[in-house]
Amino acid sequence: MSSPHDFDFFHGEWDVHHRRLSDFLDPDSGWEEFEATNRCWSLFDGAANIDEMTVPGEGWQGLTLRLFDPAARVWSLNWSSSRSGKLFPPVVGRFGPDGRGEFHGDDTHDGKDVRVRFVWSGISPTTARWEQAFSVDGEKTWVTNWVMEFARRGSS
């Protein structure tokens, strides 16, 4: 069952390796790779946090606002980028007993309705993995289109 402290592991500073499909809906479009730095801090005694990512080689920054709903015991993850200046629709979900977090939401990409899935896994004191996948067929199939591998700064 999720709790207000599920994302405590993420507080602090991280180096991030990105792998992203050139076309988020085409699994054969080829992968782009780039580096970033990330820092995350807690709000609301752990029931919220913000992280800010700087991607110097790509010329943009991003942020995620995470909010814990204590009544529903779920998190909403809300992403924005300096490229758009807009808050994307949230994905909502929780962590399971295995420590894997899965979050779903609805959005559009290139004019198509997509179901969005974020997965947090591989969580340790010095590592974490985030991935994004889109489905255009009602979750029958997914295209994993973005993966971030996090390494805590100073841990190597």
Side-chain angles (χ1 to χ4, degrees):
M1 187 66 98
S2 277
S3 82
H5 295 284
D6 287 339
F7 280 98
D8 285 1
F9 74 90
F10 202 46
H11 302 158
E13 296 186 1
W14 299 83
D15 292 314
V16 190
H17 179 74
H18 292 255
R19 285 187 73 232
R20 180 176 70 186
L21 280 178
S22 299
D23 178 337
F24 281 2
L25 298 175
D26 180 0
D28 298 321
S29 65
W31 292 92
E32 307 166 335
E33 297 192 36
F34 52 95
E35 305 303 316
T37 58
N38 194 85
R39 66 184 179 96
C40 179
W41 61 97
S42 177
L43 302 163
F44 301 163
D45 295 322
N49 63 60
I50 292 178
D51 76 73
E52 180 180 37
M53 184 172 299
T54 302
V55 190
E58 300 289 308
W60 56 270
Q61 292 179 293
L63 71 80
T64 305
L65 169 64
R66 296 178 192 84
L67 300 166
F68 184 72
D69 177 339
R73 307 216 44 95
V74 295
W75 286 89
S76 64
L77 284 55
N78 306 269
W79 166 256
S80 183
S81 165
S82 63
R83 293 176 291 185
S84 70
K86 297 178 183 176
L87 199 58
F88 286 76
V91 293
V92 177
R94 62 175 45 101
F95 283 85
D98 60 356
R100 181 179 186 268
E102 193 163 318
F103 308 86
H104 293 90
D106 296 305
D107 203 347
T108 58
H109 180 74
D110 286 344
K112 295 180 182 163
D113 291 336
V114 295
R115 186 74 173 150
V116 180
R117 179 181 69 198
F118 288 2
V119 173
W120 279 95
S121 64
I123 296 166
S124 79
T126 59
T127 63
R129 177 186 171 94
W130 172 91
E131 66 181 57
Q132 173 181 273
F134 286 176
S135 176
V136 294
D137 61 8
E139 298 187 25
K140 292 177 189 152
T141 61
W142 292 93
V143 175
T144 298
N145 54 38
W146 198 337
V147 176
M148 293 185 221
E149 299 284 350
F150 291 86
R152 188 167 300 281
R153 296 201 97 184
S155 66
S156 50

